[in-house]
Amino acid sequence: MEPLETDNETTVTTFILLGFGDALELQIPLFLLFLIIYSLTMAGNIIIIVLVIIDHHLHIPMYFFLGNLSCLETFYTSTILPRLLASFLTGDRTISVWGCYIQFYCFVMLGVAECYLLASMSYDRYLAICKPLQYATLMSRRLCFLLSAISWLFGIAVMTSLISLMSELKYCGPHEIGHFFCDFTPVINLSCSDITLLTLASLILSFMNIVPSFLLTLLSYVCIIAAIVRIPSSDGRKKAFSTCSSHLIVVSIFYGSLIFVYVLPQKEALREVDKIFSVFYTVLTPLINPLIYSLRNKEVKKALMRAVNKWGISK
């Protein structure tokens, strides 16, 4: 689609996602690599969702949140990888402005929801380890549903307000995005409109949502570690830590990648490094999550074996 001429000003209607470069010899290997990652990610997370639904042993708050996280991850990775795979296969890297906005909306909405969901999961582990006698009462089914709904609704609210401001932007110059998906800074930097208000709103919304969820997660684990250290027996400490170690690994990978990409000062020399770390939280984290939770969690492995045995017997 060609740029439109309006009032002697060129209006850009499409962007070009530069992705991982123009080297033709890398397109097929990259396509196969990301296709394998996407297939494994979808299979792993869908298996966890199905297990949480069908196995009554997993009908407890910890696995309710895990099922929600896996559901979120299937949508999260699907906002980016199918479009990326198509560009490797066809060579077409163009995306409409509103197509770019929709991808950005879904990506950030799910990212914000994941921050709150990880905070909810850490609070669940805090209650289970630090207040075991009150756990069943405090972490009720109603609270589980409420925390899950808040995670999704906050993500929707944040992105609806941000996209409403972005929709006012005009693009009349360069239309190449030096990334493999429509991220906030690369997109708004192409605008010929004043982005001061939008940048300020983004900063405020990020601070209001990311920082509290991160601090709640951090505080929960400080309390958890302090409680574990006070357990007299080594077996007790090992058992208590094993119940939250998987979640701690996931949180560390997710927030570590976000901090490197969005918090540390942006430098031209680190642009490619930032792109690699973006792959971590957009592509690899959704793949790693089901692997970590299935390989390090005895109950999930038992549920999988029960499902396999039941399916084998029914056959």
Side-chain angles (χ1 to χ4, degrees), residues 145-247:
F145 280 107
L146 182 62
L147 290 174
S148 178
I150 286 174
S151 299
W152 290 86
L153 290 174
F154 272 30
I156 293 171
V158 168
M159 276 315 298
T160 300
S161 57
L162 197 59
I163 282 293
S164 66
L165 292 174
M166 289 183 68
S167 65
E168 302 296 325
L169 296 180
K170 292 182 179 179
Y171 300 91
C172 46
H175 62 292
E176 293 183 340
I177 299 174
H179 217 316
F180 61 92
F181 70 98
C182 295
D183 205 358
F184 180 70
T185 303
V187 171
I188 67 168
N189 282 345
L190 295 179
S191 174
C192 51
S193 304
D194 183 7
I195 60 173
T196 305
L197 178 60
L198 179 59
T199 304
L200 180 61
S202 171
L203 183 64
I204 292 172
L205 289 171
S206 298
F207 184 84
M208 290 174 59
N209 290 275
I210 309 302
V211 173
S213 61
F214 174 71
L215 291 179
L216 178 58
T217 302
L218 184 64
L219 180 61
S220 296
Y221 274 102
V222 168
C223 295
I224 288 170
I225 292 171
I228 291 175
V229 170
R230 291 197 297 268
I231 297 176
S233 68
S234 59
D235 288 340
R237 288 195 297 270
K238 184 178 179 180
K239 183 178 180 180
F241 187 73
S242 67
T243 64
C244 62
S245 58
S246 299
H247 183 246

